[in-house]
Structures are given as structure tokens and as C-alpha cells.
Amino acid sequence: MRANAVHRVLRDSGWETRHIVVTPNGGARQEMEAGDFFIEMPRRFRRKMARRGWRSDVATAEFITASRSHRCEIARFLDEFRPDVIALEQCWLWPALREYVETCSPETRFSIVYGSHNVEQELLAQEATIPGAQTDLWSAQRAAEIESDLAANADLVVAVSDQDAAYFRKLNPSVVVAANGVWPMAAPVGLDRWAQRFAGLRTALFVASGHPPNANGFLEMMAPDLGYLSPAERIVVVGGVAGQIGRDPRFLRVAGVDNAQIELLGVQDAGTLSALIALADVVILPILEGGGTNVKTAEALYNRKQIVGTPFAFRGYEHFRHWPSVRLADNAADFQRLLVEALRSERRDPGSADAAQLHGLVWTATLQDLPQQLAALPRRGRDALENLRALRSADGGEGFLHALSQRLGLRRKS
């Protein structure tokens, strides 16, 4: 979602963008555009990935590190496109780009940007402690090696929150914050059908991907036994997280009891999700851990829903905590109490002064400075890694980089 928004905002500002995608999922090819470069991991590597229990993102780095032929293909693609900026949305293709930086022709000039969705090494270290998360310490260590090297050598790190930015500034002084945002929701599909299904019920909606911290937070804060809800109250779970919750031993122990109180709907299309959000009385954000910021927090705020969440779910959106529609708790007992209160009370609307902040949640607002920030970067070539280390050790790099950006000038694709 973030990568898509970045490309849309850049293109609206006159940039030409291309994608390089390496993935174990061949179905992702249909999302590619003319001029993009797509690499699907072969079956033999996917089998190896499954045997060793590797995460697909960390495995991407391992695959590209071991495949000289694919690194050469990526290099040819970059030579033909001649980008002014190479932006890595997440860090996993850095091994291929690092080799390109070290071997490209002396005339090649570009900037390197790390678009960080979260601090990967910290996130994976957290996940390694979650039962059933299938993230091991090796993955966390590999993430630390790749991400730290990329962050230290990038011309710019784009973080999603002040907390993440503070972490990366320990590695690189050139860090900016461009928060996650939302697009207006798609037109609802099946609204009447869903309204009939939940007629006479008060519903609390939880929307999340199949990311282990999402399922863990739900089970920790909601408790497996939903007996505190009345027969006329329901929890509706949408997204990949529904499958993880349904398989978790904590849920299975009381699944028979909770079947009448919880609806695990799984992944839905955009129109159905819009309908479910429109019908929900409350949106719950039981997030206790993870990285970056929570896009679902922005969606709930933008759509003016009643929210019961954790303070952690509002990282990056701290200025919305005081809204009358927001209730926050950092422990399960208070979270459940606030949920019951929200389900059984009248809707709280934000005041006009608060509502005026909503336009700042749209991607075009959160990313509005990014095109200019990228255009101001210096372009560098094969000797970049050595020079950058020397410059930053001399004076922090900021003065030189500013002077260099004024002298070089930049050419945008348009």
C-alpha cells in the first residue's frame, strides 16, 4: 500500500517510476506494469525456503545474493533505465544494489533512498519471541546486517514515524519522516446484504494482515473467552489475521464458546471492506508490538469510526489520541471495559476543529514533501560508498551534501 502511494505521488509530480520485484509469488506478476522488471524465485529455491523455515522477505535477500545471473539482469535493467533515484521500499534487495553501486560504470550517477516501513531488525527480533511466529534469530540477525548497511550508506532514509527516524539517525543523519496515510475508501459492495446479516447487532471490527503481532495483540487484549460481550454484540475480524487467530491454540481452546460472538471473515475485497467499515459501530486496534505505524489506525480515524485501541496503535498518530471518538487502554481488563462501553454508548463525533485534521491523513498530504526531497538529493556513482563514509566521518556529511546538491543539479524523469 505504501509503495503504491509513493509511486502515485511521484508520478503526479512528474517523475517516471519503474519497479523491480523479486518474489516467490508468481501471481504478483499481474500487478506489474509495462517496463517493470519481475523475478519469480524458482521452485527449487522455494522448497529450500520452506525446508529451512525462512521468511519470504529475508529469503529474497538470500536468493538474490546467491544468484549472480539475476543480479546481472537487475544491473542491465538499471543501466537501460538510468534512474536518478533508486529507492528501496524495505531493505531486501540491497545486496543486489550494493554490488551494482560497486561495479557500475564511472559515468552512472544516482541517489539511494531507503524507504523504511519499520525497523526490520527490531521487528524480526520481537517476532522471534512470539510463539508460532516462524521467525528465528537468524532472520533477525540477517535483517540487522542488511538494514544497518543500507541505512548507513543511503543518501536518504524515509521513515514512517519519529520513533523510527530517531533509530535511523544513529546510523545516518539524513533522515526524514513521511507518515503512512490512507486513500478514500472504495465504494461499498454488498452493503444491504451485510446490513441484513448484522441486523440488530452491535459490531466491533478488527482489520489486519496476517502479521504475527496483529494476531498476538488481538488474543492478548480481547482474551480468548468473549463472555464479557452480550448476545447482541459481535467481533468481526477481516484480513489475513483471521486465519492466524483461528489456528491459534488460545482461540481453539474456547472456539466453541466464541463461535457465537466472533466472525472470522478472512480476506475481503476493497468494496466489501468498505461496507464492513461503514456498518461497524466500533473499530478495535489491539496492537501491542510491531514496527512502523498502523495504517488501520489512520483508516479508522479518517472514516470517523469509534475506536478502542492501545497507545501503541497510535504511534505516529499521537495528536489524535485526544479525540472524543478514541478510547485507549494498555491492559486487557481496561481494553475490554472500554470496548463494552463503546458498543453500548452513543457515537462520539469529532468536533469541527479536530475534523479539519482529517485531510492530513490522505497519502497526498503525508507524502507531499517527498518529490522535492528526492529531487534535492545529490547523485553519486561507483565510488559513493567510500566517499560517503569519509565525508560523514569528517563533518557529519550535511554541509558537503548540501553543497554537492547545489553544484550537480538533478534531472527528473518526465
Side-chain angles (χ1 to χ4, degrees):
M1 291 172 63
R2 181 175 174 84
N4 173 272
V6 167
H7 284 274
R8 287 175 63 176
V9 169
L10 287 175
R11 287 173 175 179
D12 287 347
S13 297
W15 291 74
E16 178 183 356
T17 68
R18 302 274 178 91
H19 307 83
I20 299 175
V21 174
V22 182
T23 174
N25 179 13
R29 186 187 297 270
Q30 64 188 17
E31 300 180 24
M32 306 302 289
E33 301 174 342
D36 290 343
F37 186 59
F38 182 85
I39 298 174
E40 181 182 358
M41 298 178 194
R43 183 177 300 174
R44 64 181 181 278
F45 185 84
R46 298 200 302 269
R47 288 198 296 262
K48 177 181 178 181
M49 183 174 70
R51 285 196 309 270
R52 299 193 178 184
W54 285 347
R55 291 171 51 108
S56 60
D57 49 10
V58 183
T60 300
E62 293 306 293
F63 171 74
I64 209 68
T65 298
S67 179
R68 177 170 176 77
S69 62
H70 286 109
R71 295 198 308 276
C72 289
E73 288 179 328
I74 290 174
R76 284 194 294 271
F77 178 87
L78 292 172
D79 284 341
E80 291 173 4
F81 184 51
R82 298 180 61 196
D84 299 300
V85 175
I86 303 177
L88 292 102
E89 291 294 313
Q90 300 184 315
C91 59
W92 310 112
L93 293 186
W94 173 237
L97 180 57
R98 197 185 208 289
E99 180 178 83
Y100 181 74
V101 171
E102 294 170 340
T103 59
C104 63
S105 69
E107 296 79 21
T108 303
R109 292 289 185 269
F110 53 86
S111 306
I112 297 173
V113 174
Y114 176 29
S116 166
H117 300 184
N118 46 250
V119 181
E120 295 287 352
Q121 53 197 289
E122 287 195 335
L123 177 63
L124 268 61
Q126 288 177 12
E127 287 191 15
T129 67
I130 300 175
Q134 297 182 332
T135 299
D136 56 17
L137 291 176
W138 175 84
S139 295
Q141 179 58 43
R142 188 72 180 113
E145 295 168 356
I146 296 170
E147 183 177 53
S148 295
D149 191 51
L150 170 57
N153 288 296
D155 295 288
L156 182 69
V157 177
V158 182
V160 299
S161 69
D162 291 333
Q163 295 91 328
D164 286 4
Y167 182 95
F168 287 116
R169 286 192 180 103
K170 299 173 185 176
L171 301 171
N172 187 331
S174 300
V175 180
V176 296
V177 176
N180 281 324
V182 298
W183 295 118
M185 297 294 289
V189 173
L191 189 61
D192 292 341
R193 177 171 59 87
W194 288 107
Q196 184 176 7
R197 178 167 174 174
F198 295 126
L201 300 175
R202 302 281 288 181
T203 59
L205 180 66
F206 178 45
V207 183
S209 64
H211 186 44
N214 294 335
N216 190 59
F218 178 89
L219 291 164
E220 290 288 329
M221 298 302 282
M222 302 298 294
D225 181 0
L226 302 179
Y228 54 88
L229 297 178
S230 79
E233 294 164 347
R234 295 287 186 275
I235 306 296
V236 180
V237 181
V238 177
V241 72
Q244 291 199 343
I245 291 171
R247 293 188 298 269
D248 193 284
R250 291 169 289 180
F251 176 79
L252 292 172
R253 282 195 295 269
V254 293
V257 177
D258 282 348
N259 279 346
Q261 302 291 146
I262 188 169
E263 302 259 3
L264 299 177
L265 299 183
V267 177
Q268 302 290 331
D269 59 37
T272 299
L273 178 59
S274 294
L276 293 169
I277 289 178
L279 293 170
D281 297 291
V282 179
V283 170
I284 56 174
L285 303 167
I287 309 301
L288 296 172
E289 57 204 336
T293 64
N294 188 33
V295 174
K296 302 308 177 187
T297 302
E299 288 181 353
L301 289 164
Y302 187 77
N303 289 286
R304 303 192 183 203
K305 306 306 295 186
Q306 305 297 298
I307 298 172
V308 177
T310 61
F312 189 80
F314 275 73
R315 64 202 186 282
Y317 307 104
E318 288 84 0
H319 52 296
F320 290 100
R321 288 184 180 185
H322 68 279
W323 271 35
S325 57
V326 173
R327 297 172 172 88
L328 300 179
D330 58 8
N331 64 81
D334 287 340
F335 194 95
Q336 294 161 25
R337 176 180 57 79
L338 291 176
L339 174 58
V340 169
E341 176 185 301
L343 285 169
R344 300 175 190 176
S345 63
E346 295 297 321
R347 173 175 172 169
R348 300 174 176 178
D349 281 322
S352 58
D354 286 335
Q357 300 179 53
L358 290 175
H359 77 277
L361 291 170
V362 179
W363 284 112
T364 49
T366 64
L367 301 177
Q368 65 180 343
D369 296 331
L370 190 59
Q372 184 177 354
Q373 289 164 341
L374 297 190
L377 291 174
R379 290 189 293 166
R380 55 200 179 90
R382 190 166 66 187
D383 55 356
L385 297 181
E386 293 293 331
N387 287 348
L388 196 60
R389 290 194 193 98
L391 292 167
R392 285 182 176 151
S393 64
D395 68 349
E398 294 178 347
F400 177 87
L401 292 178
H402 176 73
L404 186 60
S405 68
Q406 301 304 309
R407 188 169 72 248
L408 278 176
L410 292 167
R411 176 180 58 83
R412 290 188 301 174
K413 301 287 182 181
S414 61

